Amino acid sequence: MLGPAEVRELASALGVRPSKQRGQNFVIDANTVRRIVRAAEVGAGDTVLEVGPGLGSLTLALLSTVDRVVAVEIDDTLAAALPATIEARLPARADRFALLHADALTVESLPGPPPDALVANLPYNVAVPVLLHLLATFPSLARGLVMVQSEVADRLVAPPGSKVYGVPSVKTAWYAEARRAGAIGRTVFWPAPRVDSGLVALTRREPPATTASRTEVFAVIDAAFAQRRKTLRAALAGWAGSPAAAEAACRAAGVPPTARGESLTVADYARLAERRPTAA
């Protein structure tokens, strides 16, 4: 495990300063890392995908528990150094580690067997798009545990009708059931962020049964929340072609046209997508 002293020594040796632009906040508390691995409920036989491994704190803990870890790291210096860190600190498991030097937002394939689980301290500034991209790209991900900004965690798990229910909530629900799995304070990071963090556990499930594609469903979700204060009749006017067409689509889908986007489930959005006027 990497404690505060080891993290800073390793960073100093590499000439690394955490990048605010890339949302880098390194975990320096070994107990927090162990807690994340426990909460992820991963173990022998699992292949875990990790995003943004940084200096390797979580990577080492995962490798000590699971069968294989594939880490995706965008930072040139960190990507170059991590394999040596694994070899030095956990040599008996080094052959079970693979690194992909890439942007997690664009990665389309991974080395080795398909991953079973996603376990990651996601960079705050791209957490939601990275999560949605990985869930879409790797259907083998049956479960996950991600650490994100506390407010983002609230959005990911929010139910319909909640004040923070929005695009991240609905699109995540397309892929998985999301629940809060704990809170993380600021002092376990270096540098300490100005916000608290939260753990979100994900369990893959089948999307709603629909003849509409995911792209079509996500288009109506985006339209509904682009003007979330408006009723669906008004908010979906551009998507449907006119307010009257939007109202007709809502009624055909069994959704009140006077409702707002925050009250609909992902299944409601799927039915709406099926009813989009063909001339729209």
Side-chain angles (χ1 to χ4, degrees), residues 227 230-238 243 246 257:
Q227 304 178 77
K230 293 187 177 182
T231 65
L232 291 171
R233 185 182 192 277
L236 298 181

Side-chain angles (χ1 to χ4, degrees), residues 41-134:
E41 297 181 350
V42 291
D46 284 324
T47 294
V48 172
L49 170 60
E50 183 187 6
V51 173
L55 293 166
S57 298
L58 180 56
T59 315
L60 289 166
L62 286 168
L63 268 178
S64 299
T65 305
V66 305
D67 188 63
R68 177 177 168 83
V69 174
V70 180
V72 178
E73 176 59 65
I74 190 174
D75 186 281
D76 296 343
T77 302
L78 295 173
L82 187 54
T85 300
I86 301 300
E87 183 66 47
R89 294 181 174 271
L90 207 59
R93 308 283 289 182
D95 62 338
R96 297 173 180 267
F97 172 73
L99 178 82
L100 183 62
H101 182 196
D103 183 348
L105 280 170
T106 62
V107 65
E108 297 292 338
S109 62
L110 297 168
D116 308 299
L118 169 68
V119 184
N121 171 19
L122 293 177
Y124 283 169
N125 53 347
V126 291
V128 172
V130 165
L131 176 61
L132 294 176
H133 173 70
L134 295 176

Side-chain angles (χ1 to χ4, degrees), residues 171 174-175 212-222 239 273 276:
K171 290 185 177 180
W174 172 269
Y175 301 104
S213 68
R214 182 182 70 230
T215 299
E216 291 169 334
V217 176
F218 281 16
V220 68
I221 293 169
D222 289 335
W239 167 82
R276 185 178 190 182

Side-chain angles (χ1 to χ4, degrees), residues 14-274:
L14 297 172
V16 168
R17 292 292 301 174
S19 168
K20 184 176 181 180
Q21 180 182 1
R22 287 182 172 164
Q24 291 174 338
N25 298 91
F26 301 136
V27 180
I28 58 174
D29 179 66
N31 287 331
T32 297
V33 170
R34 294 187 186 98
R35 177 185 168 196
I36 292 170
V37 175
R38 287 196 304 271
E41 297 181 350
V42 291
D46 284 324
T47 294
V48 172
L49 170 60
E50 183 187 6
V51 173
L55 293 166
S57 298
L58 180 56
T59 315
L60 289 166
L62 286 168
L63 268 178
S64 299
T65 305
V66 305
D67 188 63
R68 177 177 168 83
V69 174
V70 180
V72 178
E73 176 59 65
I74 190 174
D75 186 281
D76 296 343
T77 302
L78 295 173
L82 187 54
T85 300
I86 301 300
E87 183 66 47
R89 294 181 174 271
L90 207 59
R93 308 283 289 182
D95 62 338
R96 297 173 180 267
F97 172 73
L99 178 82
L100 183 62
H101 182 196
D103 183 348
L105 280 170
T106 62
V107 65
E108 297 292 338
S109 62
L110 297 168
D116 308 299
L118 169 68
V119 184
N121 171 19
L122 293 177
Y124 283 169
N125 53 347
V126 291
V128 172
V130 165
L131 176 61
L132 294 176
H133 173 70
L134 295 176
L135 288 172
T137 305
F138 302 107
S140 63
L141 291 170
R143 60 197 187 283
L145 186 86
V146 294
M147 181 159 57
V148 295
Q149 185 176 335
S150 186
E151 291 182 0
V152 174
D154 290 340
R155 294 188 185 105
L156 290 174
V157 306
S162 166
K163 290 182 179 179
V164 295
Y165 184 73
V167 171
S169 321
V170 193
K171 290 185 177 180
T172 299
W174 172 269
Y175 301 104
E177 177 186 354
R179 61 176 177 82
R180 272 279 204 160
I184 303 292
R186 308 177 189 190
T187 59
V188 302
F189 295 97
W190 172 66
R194 296 181 179 179
V195 294
D196 293 327
S197 299
L199 298 176
V200 175
L202 303 154
T203 303
R204 174 82 72 168
R205 65 184 176 196
E206 289 297 316
T210 178
T211 58
S213 68
R214 182 182 70 230
T215 299
E216 291 169 334
V217 176
F218 281 16
V220 68
I221 293 169
D222 289 335
F225 284 99
Q227 304 178 77
R228 65 180 297 152
R229 292 182 179 275
K230 293 187 177 182
T231 65
L232 291 171
R233 185 182 192 277
L236 298 181
W239 167 82
S242 69
E247 179 171 344
C250 287
R251 294 194 184 283
V255 173
T258 55
R260 290 177 171 79
E262 63 198 35
S263 66
L264 272 61
T265 67
V266 66
D268 293 331
Y269 281 109
R271 292 198 308 277
L272 269 172
E274 293 176 350

